[in-house]
Amino acid sequence: MAKEKIVLAYSGGLDTSVILTWLKETYDAEIITFTADIGQKDELDGLEEKAIKTGASKVYIDDLRAEFAKDFIYPMFQAGALYEGQYLLGTSIARPLIAKRMVEIALAEGATAIAHGATGKGNDQVRFELTAAALAPDIKVIAPWRDEAFREAFPGRAEMIAYAEKHNIPVQASASKPYSTDRNLLHISFESGMLEDPWFDSSAADVEDMYVLSVSPEKAPDQGEYVELDFEAGNCVAVNGNKLSPLEVMELLNELGGKHGVGRVDMVENRFVGMKSRGVYETPGGSILFTAHRKMESLTMDRDVMHLRDSLISKYASLVYNGFWFAPERLAIQALVNESQKNVTGTVRLKLYKGNVMAAGLKSPVSLYNPHIATMEADPTQAYDQGDATGFIRLNALRLKVSSGVTGASGI
């Protein structure tokens, strides 16, 4: 009788290296590993050999970078998504893509289950499993960190590190660098270890070697650099006049942003499962793209359309953060977002300088900004009669006067 097949989301890091062996022994199953190349760079080096050596029967390493940029990062940025006013959702937006491909592999291989190394305290478990529920509701999900026997065997990272050393599995985590990382095309995140103390200074010089994608603002060039981004229907299609794919845009902006110390965020965020957690993020290219897109909208998007879309930003960001990418409500909001972006076309010029992204010019063939109307000088078009503002103010003040007459003036 053929063994059960389990598809494991495999990074080659500490947790999934241990989990691979544990799954094989616990379920007496054939383990197929899946790794999504979403921009981890050299983290993928030697991964196939490592997975086979650790016990995988088959290894998938799929290059999903172009799909990630075009179908996940770009739509999310069109929505202006920003979680709790700071987080550009770099880890969150990658999970539905990884889970989608993992489900596709499981169905193709005849696997009965998928497995992941997300902890029972984190958001990723929810993101993986909600995606699986939406796309393949009958497939089983194995989450070792929610298994009591697994937790008893590995009560902390020290035990996992010792286990990996015993089995000659090279891992990045160590006693000197106990924090965990997650890298992709959009960002890299750091959490746990010394970062669990919210008073710990992640910008201190003695932890500068933690950062991967950017230099500190103090070490950034003393000369600012200008960059121009061309947009068509809300998507960046060129940088400095050169036509680029979404993947190429992200790669170039990461390089430029990292050079100038752009995109570092240190925050305490609210996890979906109910606790607060501290994370440090580097999102150099995403920070440039986010700012440029917003500036382009300011010139080309109708006021009430913008305000309607903005009223949905918090909801949209929470849906991404919480794992509801394939939920009907996210798709419905996206349809509105897509409609709102049809006129977001033109060029944004930015200045990058020591961690800052500053607006340095806007232009568009479909600009809604009319200098003749907006001017403080005489309006040559006579499109705006300042006298009309008297009635406008009187009508808007009417309800305030009525309310004051009933309840009395307040705040005086």
Side-chain angles (χ1 to χ4, degrees):
M1 184 176 179
K3 285 189 174 183
E4 177 185 10
K5 293 181 181 180
I6 300 171
V7 178
L8 170 65
Y10 179 74
S11 69
L14 178 62
D15 290 18
T16 56
S17 294
V18 170
I19 286 170
L20 197 164
T21 300
W22 183 86
L23 285 172
K24 191 172 183 179
E25 293 177 347
T26 302
Y27 290 88
D28 188 27
E30 181 181 336
I31 309 302
I32 300 168
T33 65
F34 163 60
T35 303
D37 179 359
I38 48 176
Q40 301 94 311
K41 298 289 187 181
D42 55 5
E43 292 180 19
L44 299 174
D45 293 348
L47 205 59
E48 182 174 5
E49 180 183 354
K50 181 178 177 181
I52 294 294
K53 182 180 178 181
T54 310
S57 63
K58 192 171 184 179
V59 176
Y60 282 84
I61 301 177
D62 294 350
D63 186 351
L64 304 180
R65 293 174 301 158
E67 182 180 0
F68 184 37
K70 178 178 178 291
D71 296 336
F72 290 79
I73 296 175
Y74 266 36
M76 182 180 73
F77 273 56
Q78 283 188 322
L82 190 64
Y83 184 68
E84 296 186 340
Q86 298 183 74
Y87 178 36
L88 286 168
L89 297 161
T91 295
S92 312
I93 190 60
R95 296 319 190 221
L97 172 58
I98 295 170
K100 168 180 169 287
R101 181 58 184 142
M102 185 162 54
V103 165
E104 291 170 349
I105 292 170
L107 295 176
E109 291 285 348
T112 57
I114 59 173
H116 61 77
T119 75
K121 287 186 174 182
N123 299 303
D124 282 344
Q125 58 179 338
V126 184
R127 297 163 183 157
F128 281 127
E129 296 180 37
L130 290 182
T131 297
L135 302 181
D138 295 329
I139 204 160
K140 183 170 69 174
V141 180
I142 300 172
W145 278 112
R146 300 205 301 267
D147 186 296
E148 187 175 355
F150 184 85
R151 293 199 305 274
E152 287 179 355
F154 305 104
R157 296 184 71 79
E159 288 79 9
M160 299 194 83
I161 292 171
Y163 180 93
E165 290 175 349
K166 179 180 177 181
H167 290 79
N168 298 314
I169 302 171
V171 291
Q172 209 171 22
S174 66
S176 61
K177 291 186 178 181
Y179 52 82
S180 64
T181 65
D182 184 83
R183 181 179 181 179
N184 61 46
L185 182 65
L186 182 53
H187 87 161
I188 185 167
S189 65
F190 308 90
E191 62 180 10
S192 78
M194 74 282 195
L195 298 174
E196 291 181 352
D197 176 6
W199 190 250
F200 179 83
D201 182 5
S202 67
S203 70
D206 59 355
V207 291
E208 182 59 27
D209 62 349
M210 178 180 75
Y211 294 94
V212 177
L213 301 179
S214 63
V215 300
S216 66
E218 293 90 339
K219 293 182 179 179
D222 292 330
Q223 184 67 38
E225 181 174 356
Y226 288 92
V227 57
E228 292 187 3
L229 287 77
D230 294 337
F231 285 85
E232 291 180 5
N235 288 320
C236 181
V237 297
V239 179
N240 292 331
N242 299 313
K243 289 283 186 181
L244 299 172
S245 69
L247 171 58
E248 291 168 332
V249 168
M250 296 308 304
E251 290 178 331
L252 178 55
L253 294 184
N254 275 332
E255 180 182 338
L256 292 173
K259 173 184 174 183
H260 291 278
V262 167
R264 292 188 179 185
V265 170
D266 183 337
M267 66 180 289
V268 174
E269 67 201 57
N270 289 295
R271 287 184 178 175
F272 191 24
V273 294
M275 70 187 73
K276 290 184 180 290
S277 66
R278 196 268 190 94
V280 175
Y281 303 102
E282 289 181 272
T283 320
S287 297
I288 295 171
L289 182 60
F290 184 88
T291 300
H293 178 257
R294 187 74 199 191
K295 297 298 181 183
M296 193 76 267
E297 287 182 328
S298 72
L299 190 69
T300 60
M301 186 182 283
D302 174 80
R303 181 193 68 181
D304 282 5
V305 172
M306 176 185 285
H307 291 178
L308 176 60
R309 191 285 312 274
D310 285 358
S311 71
L312 297 170
I313 285 177
S314 179
K315 177 63 176 178
Y316 186 104
S318 292
L319 289 172
V320 175
Y321 187 84
N322 295 339
F324 290 96
W325 181 258
F326 289 105
E329 63 270 34
R330 200 283 303 178
L331 297 173
I333 296 175
Q334 193 71 56
L336 183 146
V337 168
N338 294 345
E339 178 67 24
S340 77
Q341 298 297 298
K342 289 184 176 180
N343 203 46
V344 183
T345 297
T347 301
V348 179
R349 184 172 59 214
L350 301 172
K351 183 179 181 180
L352 312 178
Y353 180 68
K354 291 192 177 296
N356 294 294
V357 182
M358 297 172 280
L362 302 170
K363 61 181 180 180
S364 170
V366 288
S367 170
L368 297 179
Y369 172 75
N370 188 324
H372 297 302
I373 296 176
T375 181
M376 296 302 293
E377 306 298 328
D379 176 9
T381 68
Q382 297 185 343
Y384 187 92
D385 184 344
Q386 295 190 49
D388 290 343
T390 301
F392 175 80
I393 295 169
R394 184 179 292 121
L395 290 174
N396 277 280
L398 179 59
R399 67 183 181 87
L400 303 179
K401 291 180 178 180
V402 171
S403 176
S404 178
V406 173
T407 63
S410 60
I412 298 177

